[in-house]
């Protein structure tokens, strides 16, 4: 069974750097096309993809946020860490990490399931 | 960016009736190399994270009831719930996985019981 759980601060001040950790189980990020993505959802709004890291160390970022994001993995701890710098109130959202699967007998690609429960991050002074 | 536009924004359907959700991409998400449509659908129940329903536009994720089906090609896609159940009340999102520059989601369609 694959599970993911996000952890990090619930409140950050403007201009601070947010660090979120995704701790997962049920799969490995040692190699291959399996991966973990980060997606956020402002209150009452739609989903916005942020970043993706694969077992083969491929990394992709949302271009408009590329300068503010860093995604890393620690395979020994089964964790993926996302940092977002220069936080602003518009970054207030629930932040989700999610599994990027490789179905048996099919190609891998960038859909996500399952997802963690999410963590609400509020940016306010 | 590939813009994903869903319609309607919300719909109310009677229990046991069909619900149809549309998703249009601003450019084709059909790959010429493998003839696959890079389109996924998710369900987000109130207070819950999204759940993957369908990928490759029409491949159901294991465990998803067969009343959920995806269809379409190129730029126009549909998610159909053939017989709405109470537990299907949710917001549904489409997502293109054709490009990571960036991966984009639709604005969501809320499904309620009439």
């Amino acid at each position: 069974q694959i599970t993911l759980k996000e952890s990090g601060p619930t409140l950050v001040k403007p201009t601070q750097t947010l660090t979120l950790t995704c701790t997962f189980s049920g799969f490995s990020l040692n190699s291959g096309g399996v991966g973990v993505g980060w997606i956020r959802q402002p209150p009452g709004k739609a989903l916005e993809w942020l970043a993706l890291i694969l077992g083969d160390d491929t990394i992709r970022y949302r271009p408009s946020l590329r300068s503010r994001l860093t995604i890393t993995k620690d395979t020994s701890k089964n964790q993926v860490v996302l940092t977002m710098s220069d936080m602003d109130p518009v970054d207030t959202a629930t932040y989700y990490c999610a599994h990027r699967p490789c179905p048996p007998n099919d190609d891998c690609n960038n859909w996500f399931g399952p997802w963690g429960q999410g963590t609400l991050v509020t940016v306010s002074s | 960016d590939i813009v994903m536009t869903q319609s309607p924004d919300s719909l109310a359907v009677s229990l046991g009736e069909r619900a149809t959700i549309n998703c249009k991409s601003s450019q084709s998400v059909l790959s010429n190399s493998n003839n696959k449509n890079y389109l996924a659908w998710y369900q987000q129940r109130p207070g819950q994270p999204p759940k993957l329903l369908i990928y490759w536009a029409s491949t159901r994720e294991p465990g998803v009831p067969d009343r959920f089906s995806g269809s379409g090609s190129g730029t126009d896609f549909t998610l159909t719930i053939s017989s709405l159940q109470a537990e299907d009340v949710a917001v549904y999102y489409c997502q293109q996985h054709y490009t990571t520059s960036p991966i984009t989601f639709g604005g969501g369609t809320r499904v309620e019981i009439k």
Side-chain angles (χ1 to χ4, degrees), chain A residues 39 41 45-49 52 60-63 96 101 103 106-118, chain B residues 1 34 36 38 40 42 44 47-52 55-56 59 61 93 95 97-98 100-107:
Chain A
I39 303 100
Q41 185 173 36
K45 295 188 177 180
L47 301 162
E48 180 179 59
W49 171 76
L52 172 67
R60 296 287 184 265
Y61 294 108
R62 188 176 193 84
Y96 296 99
D106 201 347
D107 296 333
C108 304
N109 209 273
N110 299 318
W111 59 81
F112 300 103
W115 296 48
Q117 283 295 314
Chain B
D1 297 12
N34 61 10
K36 290 185 175 182
Y38 286 55
Y42 300 85
Q44 187 175 30
Q48 295 297 311
K51 174 187 174 183
L52 177 66
Y55 55 93
W56 295 134
T59 301
E61 174 77 345
Y93 293 94
Q95 176 226 323
H97 49 96
Y98 187 82
T100 57
S101 297
I103 295 167
T104 48
F105 292 84

Side-chain angles (χ1 to χ4, degrees), chain A:
Chain A
Q1 180 189 7
I2 291 174
T3 64
L4 307 97
K5 186 174 183 179
E6 307 85 354
S7 58
T10 57
L11 178 66
V12 297
K13 290 180 167 47
T15 74
Q16 287 186 336
T17 294
L18 171 68
T19 299
L20 294 172
T21 300
C22 177
T23 303
F24 59 86
S25 64
F27 66 98
S28 172
L29 269 186
N30 285 321
S31 62
V34 172
V36 170
W38 284 94
I39 303 100
R40 69 179 179 180
Q41 185 173 36
K45 295 188 177 180
L47 301 162
E48 180 179 59
W49 171 76
L50 300 175
L52 172 67
I53 189 166
L54 304 186
D56 65 5
D57 296 326
T58 298
I59 288 174
R60 296 287 184 265
Y61 294 108
R62 188 176 193 84
S64 60
L65 295 173
R66 173 64 183 91
S67 63
R68 298 175 54 203
L69 294 172
T70 303
I71 190 170
T72 59
K73 62 184 174 89
D74 184 334
T75 54
S76 67
K77 294 181 179 179
N78 278 357
Q79 290 181 335
V80 170
V81 175
L82 180 76
T83 63
M84 179 180 287
S85 63
D86 195 23
M87 292 291 285
D88 184 271
V90 300
D91 297 313
T92 293
T94 296
Y95 287 74
Y96 296 99
C97 62
H99 175 240
R100 188 250 202 196
C102 283
N105 304 314
D106 201 347
D107 296 333
C108 304
N109 209 273
N110 299 318
W111 59 81
F112 300 103
W115 296 48
Q117 283 295 314
T119 184
L120 175 61
V121 178
T122 301
V123 184
S124 175
S125 54

Side-chain angles (χ1 to χ4, degrees), chain B residues 48-82:
Chain B
Q48 295 297 311
K51 174 187 174 183
L52 177 66
L53 297 176
I54 286 169
Y55 55 93
W56 295 134
S58 61
T59 301
R60 246 187 326 269
E61 174 77 345
V64 172
D66 61 7
R67 65 180 180 274
F68 291 93
S69 63
S71 62
S73 185
T75 61
D76 293 280
F77 300 90
T78 299
L79 175 70
T80 301
I81 309 172
S82 60

